[in-house]
Amino acid sequence: MKKILWLIMSVVVASVLLTACGEKTQEDVISDLERNLDELTGYKTKASMTLQTGEEPQVYDVEVWFKSPSFYRVALNHTEKDQSQIILRNEEGVFVLTPALNKSFRFQSDWPENNSQVYLYESLMNDILMDPERAFTATEDHYTFQTNTNYTNKNLNQQEVRLNKKDLTPASVKVMDAELSILVEVAFEDFQLNAEFSEGDFEMDRNMTGAQLETEVPAMTDEEEADEEFAVFYPMYEPQGTTLSKSEEVETDNGLRVVLTYDGDQPFTLIQQQSQVVEASTSIDLAVGEPVDLGFTFGVLTGDEESNTISWSFEGTDFFLASDAMDKDELMSVARSVYGTHEK
């Protein structure tokens, strides 16, 4: 009891000292954040994102553009493996672009609404504003909030958002699991509030062409493709009571296809094949699909009452994950864990 009273008195004394020194209170900062969001016309930012969900940390460069009220451009690039993707939202819908493969999908989706997004300023600010249990601390240069989250990955249930005092732009974000282990960390390197944009900055064709010009993708001959070893990826997460029962290799006109079948309480099938570059970049329309952030890449989620599927491309391989027994959240947990390999 004495310890609790001491902690309460410490908080009260600290608050009084901060007020006396002219330091802003949590209520002052919250009011400023609300005003920032109300006046926000757009922004540009670059960041470094580190994922701690695999055997080794994976580092990605992230570039985000936002133009009020609902235009987005998020470019995700793996710093070592030269793999990039772009997700766009404009008046025509939401697009997921894979420039190296000349592939694009278009959705009629409300992305990125309704879920937390670790690299989107307004998403982080709303997480702070909407959490009545948020914790607040201040240092010489930063304000820090600890909040609950609303990520599609339910393992990411708490986050620490550090804001620059001078303009309340994000400095860093750490997203943690229930045991407070850091799973995702984002460091913002540059942030331009109320940035200006050119006509066409959010157009699909312009972004696809621009990304392809920036990334050199050497074309392989048929002989080189045949000689290249095909790495088979396995999910590191398996639902309880579900295990790998069968692995099949099928020769197709487009190369080797591997089918992994998992049986048990929550059966699923994982199919993978070497990616093929598409000649024409016409978007594939998906009326019932939606984009999903798998951490290391953007995927395409489709489903109905009977089954769910997720497809994505990563490190030169196309993946297709399907189950008629698993819900969307569980299926995404499996997809996010597909990073273990065995050489074939």
Side-chain angles (χ1 to χ4, degrees):
M1 186 66 182
K2 289 182 178 180
K3 184 176 181 180
I4 295 175
L5 289 174
W6 181 83
L7 287 171
I8 294 174
M9 289 300 297
S10 298
V11 172
V12 171
V13 170
S15 178
V16 171
L17 289 174
L18 287 173
T19 303
C21 296
E23 185 70 64
K24 287 187 176 183
T25 65
Q26 178 179 174
E27 290 71 23
D28 294 332
V29 178
I30 290 297
S31 178
D32 290 343
L33 285 177
E34 291 175 336
R35 183 169 59 254
N36 264 23
L37 282 178
D38 288 341
E39 298 174 355
L40 185 65
T41 62
Y43 61 84
K44 293 180 179 179
T45 184
K46 294 180 179 179
S48 175
M49 180 174 68
T50 303
L51 304 182
Q52 302 283 0
T53 53
E55 295 177 346
E56 298 290 336
Q58 300 290 318
V59 181
Y60 295 82
D61 290 329
V62 185
E63 184 178 48
V64 181
W65 295 353
F66 167 67
K67 181 181 178 182
S68 182
S70 59
F71 280 18
Y72 289 89
R73 177 189 181 273
V74 178
L76 185 69
N77 181 63
H78 195 293
T79 56
E80 294 181 357
K81 299 176 181 177
D82 198 25
Q83 172 171 310
S84 65
Q85 275 192 312
I86 298 173
I87 186 166
L88 293 173
R89 180 174 175 178
N90 57 30
E91 71 278 355
E92 297 179 354
V94 176
F95 297 82
V96 172
L97 313 181
T98 307
L101 302 178
N102 209 24
K103 287 183 180 179
S104 64
F105 294 89
R106 183 172 67 174
F107 311 84
Q108 295 304 317
S109 169
D110 60 1
W111 181 92
E113 299 170 8
N114 302 324
N115 290 113
S116 301
Q117 305 288 336
V118 68
Y119 34 67
L120 297 186
Y121 175 66
E122 64 282 16
S123 174
L124 295 171
M125 298 308 100
N126 281 320
D127 284 344
I128 293 172
L129 297 174
M130 299 301 292
D131 185 2
E133 301 175 349
R134 60 182 175 257
F136 171 79
T137 57
T139 62
E140 183 177 352
D141 298 317
H142 300 98
Y143 298 118
T144 301
F145 287 91
Q146 188 117 4
T147 79
N148 294 317
T149 70
N150 187 33
Y151 291 100
T152 55
N153 185 350
K154 300 308 178 185
N155 289 328
L156 308 177
N157 60 10
Q158 295 189 57
Q159 66 186 359
E160 177 188 284
V161 183
R162 190 161 58 107
L163 306 176
N164 296 305
K165 273 189 174 181
K166 61 180 180 180
D167 56 8
L168 299 182
T169 57
S172 66
V173 183
K174 296 177 181 178
V175 190
M176 297 154 281
D177 61 16
E179 286 74 41
L180 299 184
S181 298
I182 298 174
L183 300 182
V184 182
E185 190 167 4
V186 177
F188 292 89
E189 301 159 0
D190 180 38
F191 203 103
Q192 303 173 40
L193 277 172
N194 301 319
E196 297 292 329
F197 295 97
S198 302
E199 185 178 355
D201 278 351
F202 298 90
E203 291 180 357
M204 190 278 286
D205 290 337
R206 177 170 173 174
N207 276 276
M208 178 71 87
T209 302
Q212 290 171 334
L213 291 174
E214 291 178 4
T215 305
E216 283 192 28
V217 183
M220 291 188 296
T221 65
D222 293 340
E223 183 177 351
E224 288 173 328
E225 289 180 351
D227 290 340
E228 185 180 25
E229 290 185 324
F230 182 67
V232 179
F233 290 75
Y234 293 80
M236 297 294 98
Y237 166 73
E238 297 175 1
Q240 188 172 5
T242 304
T243 58
L244 177 64
S245 64
K246 185 168 56 175
S247 176
E248 297 178 281
E249 296 183 0
V250 181
E251 288 291 345
T252 72
D253 292 340
N254 294 323
L256 182 67
R257 176 181 299 160
V258 176
V259 181
L260 304 179
T261 303
Y262 287 74
D263 287 333
D265 296 340
Q266 299 189 70
F268 62 90
T269 301
L270 176 62
I271 301 172
Q272 48 200 293
Q273 186 169 333
Q274 190 175 57
S275 300
Q276 302 292 317
V277 178
V278 178
E279 292 185 6
S281 60
T282 303
S283 294
I284 300 173
D285 288 334
L286 292 174
V288 295
E290 60 180 291
V292 288
D293 188 346
L294 299 179
F296 54 86
T297 190
F298 296 113
V300 175
L301 172 67
T302 58
D304 51 36
E305 295 179 356
E306 297 182 356
S307 64
N308 291 300
T309 66
I310 301 176
S311 58
W312 70 96
S313 297
F314 183 65
E315 292 191 16
T317 300
D318 290 337
F319 297 87
F320 180 82
L321 177 66
S323 175
D324 57 6
M326 301 169 66
D327 62 24
K328 294 178 180 179
D329 289 342
E330 191 74 351
L331 202 65
M332 282 193 284
S333 294
V334 173
R336 291 188 181 101
S337 77
V338 179
Y339 49 75
T341 65
H342 292 297
E343 296 294 336
K344 300 303 290 182

